[in-house]
Amino acid sequence: GSGTLIANNVGLITANHNFDDVSAHMPGKDIFIGKSCWIGMNSIILPGVSLGDNTIVGAGSIVTKSFEQGHCVIAGNPAKIIRVLSNQRPK
């Protein structure tokens, strides 16, 4: 999204291999990243994930599910909400 910052070495993975046959690829799934997000260095976002506006992804996180509500800080493996942010932007 507009105004989003993506740090170095971030992986946006839209396709994967079939677990039963690793030589076969699974169909790709889009990733959606909202406005004014910040994706920390070395994070990985997996297929089909949606991040709402103003989502901060901590460095080194593995994002396996969507956080469509946004306005939060997520981190870890798998990423989970560690802080909810105010919906108001500073003036």
Side-chain angles (χ1 to χ4, degrees):
S2 175
T4 289
L5 304 173
I6 300 177
N8 293 332
N9 207 37
V10 168
L12 301 174
I13 313 299
T14 57
N16 213 336
H17 295 273
N18 184 319
F19 292 156
D20 297 321
D21 178 5
V22 294
S23 66
H25 287 272
M26 300 293 290
K29 294 181 184 176
D30 291 339
I31 292 172
F32 173 82
I33 299 174
K35 297 176 185 173
S36 300
C37 293
W38 176 13
I39 314 299
M41 186 172 187
N42 295 322
S43 296
I44 298 171
I45 301 177
L46 295 180
V49 165
S50 292
L51 301 178
D53 295 346
N54 301 307
T55 299
I56 298 172
V57 179
S61 297
I62 311 295
V63 185
T64 61
K65 66 178 186 176
S66 294
F67 295 89
E68 294 174 348
Q69 73 281 6
H71 304 280
C72 60
V73 178
I74 61 174
N77 180 10
K80 63 181 180 179
I81 294 175
I82 60 171
R83 182 174 175 188
V84 175
L85 302 173
S86 168
N87 290 338
Q88 300 289 358
R89 297 188 123 212
K91 294 182 180 182

